[in-house]
Amino acid sequence: MATAHRPVSTVDTARAPGTARTSDREGTAGSMETAAPRDTAAARGTAATADTADATAADRAADAKAADQAADAATLQAAFNAAVAADERIEPRDWMPDAYRSTLVRQIAQHAHSEIIGMQPEANWITRAPSLRRKAILMAKVQDEAGHGLYLYSAAETLGASRDDLLDKLHSGRQKYSSIFNYPTLTWADVGAIGWLVDGAAITNQVPLCRCSYGPYARAMVRVCKEESFHQRQGYELLLALSRGTEAQHAMAQDAVDRWWWPSLMMFGPPDAESSHSEQSMTWKIKRHSNDELRQRFVDICVPQAESLGLTLPDPDLKWNEERGQHDFGAIDWSEFWSVLKGNGPCNEQRMTQRRRAHEEGAWVREAAAAHAARHSERERATGDSERAIENSERAAEDSEREEATA
Amino acid sequence: MSSSTEWPLWEVFVRSRRGLSHTHAGSLHAPDAEMALRNARDLYTRRNEGVSIWVVPSAHITASSPDEKDSFFEPSADKPYRHPTFYDIPEGVKHL
């Protein structure tokens, strides 16, 4: 089962017949290819200075080859630029710049990790949900987050990343997840505040990502956004029920909003002036709007929603600016953001410990499934079940013929 | 070893309702076809998105190469006469 060739990811990256150049099929190989012209040029450079007098035919051949490759690279880059400029999607097997690929892997991986870690703060309340209705809703939501993580890991794999490697990087802290999940869920109302504010901020971020230049990421986002809308509405409804409930329930809802508001605004990332990746990502159309732009949009959306909830947002400077046609809001405490990002949030340690433990404790399930699959396929071979398999596939073929005939 | 990438990759195709063909929904890892089907159900049809699922080992899919996208599809590029709009028909001629 262990083949030298790592499994190709998704239809888009599947094996092409009779193509000598395998390089565009996988991320790592692709990077090697694009690195080649530079390497050759460098090697030729040293050789040339070493013995300048001895310009051999081999040198000239290398010259020509390097020139060819450089021209190739320029053509590929031009085709990529044109596709991005024309708002076409880049697909996994297309040539893409190394930095574009690595930026996407980093971003998609962080996004996937956030979905997986994001299951924890809410799962914390499943056993204590106040009704069966709320419990069923919360379980469905947490299951969705797992699903979103899997869509995103798949998208990262189309770029040549491996699932295990990504998980390793999460578990060893080499890749990050959204800082928001390092805050605790202290009361039941936090489940509502997360749905309304955290998922609301995530949606504001993710809707433009549906038009991201990288096809598989954009497609994953379309699916995610459809599902997030339920997350946000259930949170809003939950808060509304509390807000209209007893005095204590109302206070609980207000307290949750007070604690989650500022961290939610930080979810859009540092101010544009300090955002290190923003500009390049905008050029590549991975990102469509700046951090500050999306943050402003989110604030403007939330203000009337808070009013309908009968709750206030914890910002004395928050007010409508007639001139701008937008809300002004108070300064964000970025020192808190950076501190949480560096690992000093209230729950960083707990989230990572639990993630690692879940992975370790799930090992026997993965082993059992693999063992079952191995034994099953062995038995199939041994007892001639393969005949049945052939019958099955014939039946499937007939089915699809029939479908075609009736289509 | 217990790593999930030892599990092969599968492509998932979902028929959203009867009368439509299966379309590609995404991919997933699973140890065998049966588990791939179950995982596909949990991952891609949590909201009644499908009435039928196909799973196919990704390694068994043969695809054309993006390198030759122009030359590969070139044969059909210069044959506009395959389209009905190629033909001039006098105005007023019906059912054509």
Side-chain angles (χ1 to χ4, degrees), chain A residues 2 44 48 81 130 145 148 229 263 312 342 351 394:
Chain A
R44 190 172 47 80
N81 291 349
E145 307 296 358
H148 296 176
S229 142
T312 58
K342 286 197 183 89
R351 301 291 184 240
E394 279 171 359

Side-chain angles (χ1 to χ4, degrees), chain A residues 21-211:
Chain A
R21 290 169 61 175
T22 55
S23 45
D24 49 3
R25 225 159 286 149
E26 291 197 22
T28 45
S31 325
M32 273 156 54
E33 187 199 28
T34 48
R38 284 197 300 274
D39 288 350
T40 319
R44 190 172 47 80
T46 33
T49 45
D51 22 22
T52 25
D54 190 22
T56 61
D59 272 347
R60 281 195 299 276
D63 250 3
K65 200 178 168 203
D68 271 2
Q69 281 173 335
D72 268 1
T75 314
L76 291 167
Q77 177 75 52
F80 172 84
N81 291 349
V84 171
D87 250 341
E88 277 177 29
R89 297 292 173 265
I90 305 300
E91 295 294 343
R93 298 174 64 218
D94 292 335
W95 181 91
M96 62 188 87
D98 289 353
Y100 177 82
R101 186 186 298 275
S102 60
T103 298
L104 275 168
V105 169
R106 183 179 49 77
Q107 179 172 339
I108 299 173
Q110 176 170 334
H111 200 157
H113 299 331
S114 301
E115 301 283 356
I116 299 299
I117 296 286
M119 296 166 76
Q120 291 185 31
E122 292 180 284
N124 179 34
W125 281 92
I126 289 177
T127 56
R128 289 168 289 167
S131 69
L132 190 55
R133 175 176 181 270
R134 293 289 175 195
K135 186 174 188 168
I137 290 169
L138 187 53
M139 284 197 293
K141 181 180 188 296
V142 172
Q143 192 189 12
D144 271 357
E145 307 296 358
H148 296 176
L150 294 178
Y151 303 153
L152 286 159
Y153 284 127
S154 287
E157 282 176 276
T158 65
L159 291 158
S162 101
R163 182 80 56 107
D164 278 0
D165 185 47
L166 295 175
L167 285 176
D168 271 355
K169 283 180 172 148
L170 169 63
H171 296 155
S172 60
R174 279 174 295 159
Q175 281 179 343
K176 303 261 181 245
Y177 55 88
S178 177
S179 274
I180 193 80
F181 301 116
N182 290 320
Y183 291 89
T185 42
L186 302 178
T187 71
W188 169 251
D190 287 25
V191 173
I194 288 179
W196 175 41
L197 296 174
V198 176
D199 290 318
I203 291 170
T204 307
N205 257 329
Q206 286 165 351
V207 166
L209 283 174
C210 295
R211 295 187 298 121

Side-chain angles (χ1 to χ4, degrees), chain B residues 17 25 31 55 57 60-61 63 65 81 89:
Chain B
R17 58 187 168 82
V55 290
H60 288 189
I61 287 178
S65 158
Y81 45 84
I89 303 294

Side-chain angles (χ1 to χ4, degrees), chain A residues 254-267:
Chain A
Q254 183 62 58
D255 169 63
V257 170
D258 288 348
R259 281 182 290 108
W260 288 96
W261 173 249
W262 291 106
S264 298
L265 292 190
M266 294 177 200
M267 282 177 69

Side-chain angles (χ1 to χ4, degrees), chain A residues 248-313:
Chain A
Q249 286 171 331
H250 181 89
M252 189 201 273
Q254 183 62 58
D255 169 63
V257 170
D258 288 348
R259 281 182 290 108
W260 288 96
W261 173 249
W262 291 106
S264 298
L265 292 190
M266 294 177 200
M267 282 177 69
F268 296 95
D272 294 347
E274 295 163 34
S275 177
S276 48
H277 306 294
S278 278
E279 206 177 320
Q280 181 60 75
S281 287
M282 300 269 275
T283 316
W284 278 330
K285 295 189 182 168
I286 293 173
K287 223 174 145 148
R288 297 277 183 166
H289 307 279
S290 77
N291 294 352
D292 287 334
E293 210 179 323
L294 291 170
R295 188 164 17 242
Q296 179 70 55
R297 186 181 296 178
F298 178 67
V299 171
D300 291 333
I301 288 171
C302 284
V303 171
Q305 290 179 347
E307 272 166 32
S308 299
L309 275 177
L311 298 173
T312 58
L313 297 172

